[in-house]
Amino acid sequence: MPDVRTSPSSPARPSADIITAPGAGPAAPPSAAELLDFARRAAADTELVASLPLDPEGRTWLRLDGPGGSEAWLIGWPPGTGTGWHDHGGSHGAFVSASGELNEQSLAARLPTEGWKTLELADGVDRERRLAAGQGRAFGAHHVHEVINPSDTEHAVSVHAYYPPLPLMRRYSRTGQTLRLEQVERPEEWG
């Protein structure tokens, strides 16, 4: 996961009722709704949420065992921090605020994935959501957004899950209605 401080490198296991049962046989990949259900249950696990070390300077994270081979993270957000505009490289996913509040700015438009550097966005594509503790959202494979902790004083903590595990992330800058592709990051670059 890019631009975050790392906590222990081994995956943390949420409480047993959140984990997919071992030996359950082959299952279909988890849907966005199933990832949202997982994120809600993990966000409600107060022991898990309390296990995340918080840093006043930068985001912190713990990797979780997500359902059905998904990639999942518990993330701490210091006041005023955010992700910048990005997508998830074709993965669908979900996230839930466990404590504090997060703001999500997103685009209600499907962007081309290749062959462009700058796009002029149409009017009316912007969406904003405020997600208080316990609230979350699922999203599809072409979701472009930025997530911000709007508080000046309080940390926020959230749970995120993606399937398939993130193959890449595209980072964008935005000025007015102009969106510019700035960087493509791959997992091996996040280490």
Side-chain angles (χ1 to χ4, degrees):
M1 182 133 242
D3 74 47
V4 296
R5 288 211 170 107
T6 60
S7 291
S9 58
S10 61
R13 290 189 65 94
S15 62
D17 65 336
I18 296 174
I19 302 296
T20 303
S31 67
E34 289 166 329
L35 294 175
L36 180 59
D37 181 59
F38 166 84
R40 280 190 174 124
R41 288 183 285 138
D45 184 334
T46 56
E47 184 178 328
L48 175 67
V49 172
S51 74
L52 179 67
L54 299 178
D55 182 321
E57 301 298 321
R59 291 190 299 153
T60 54
W61 56 263
L62 289 173
R63 186 171 180 135
L64 306 175
D65 288 327
S70 64
E71 180 174 354
W73 303 92
L74 178 66
I75 301 176
W77 305 75
T81 59
T83 60
W85 286 94
H86 66 282
D87 70 20
H88 304 99
S91 295
H92 62 270
F95 68 101
V96 173
S97 177
S99 67
E101 179 178 271
L102 293 174
N103 282 1
E104 180 196 34
Q105 307 289 325
S106 64
L107 301 177
R110 185 172 175 169
L111 303 182
T113 57
E114 302 291 329
W116 67 277
K117 283 288 193 181
T118 304
L119 288 176
E120 193 68 27
L121 299 171
D123 290 336
V125 298
D126 290 297
R127 301 293 182 266
E128 180 176 356
R129 290 177 181 83
R130 291 183 160 287
L131 302 169
Q135 295 180 324
R137 67 156 359 272
F139 53 85
H142 301 283
H143 191 63
V144 176
H145 70 166
E146 70 174 341
V147 179
I148 301 164
N149 174 0
S151 175
D152 293 330
T153 58
E154 302 296 322
H155 263 81
V157 176
S158 57
V159 177
H160 302 246
Y162 311 98
Y163 190 87
L166 297 175
L168 59 88
M169 288 179 70
R170 292 178 199 86
R171 298 241 171 230
Y172 306 97
S173 62
R174 182 166 179 192
T175 305
Q177 292 301 101
T178 302
L179 188 71
R180 179 175 181 78
L181 176 64
E182 297 291 345
Q183 183 177 10
V184 177
E185 299 174 349
R186 302 205 184 286
E188 59 271 13
E189 300 172 77
W190 304 337

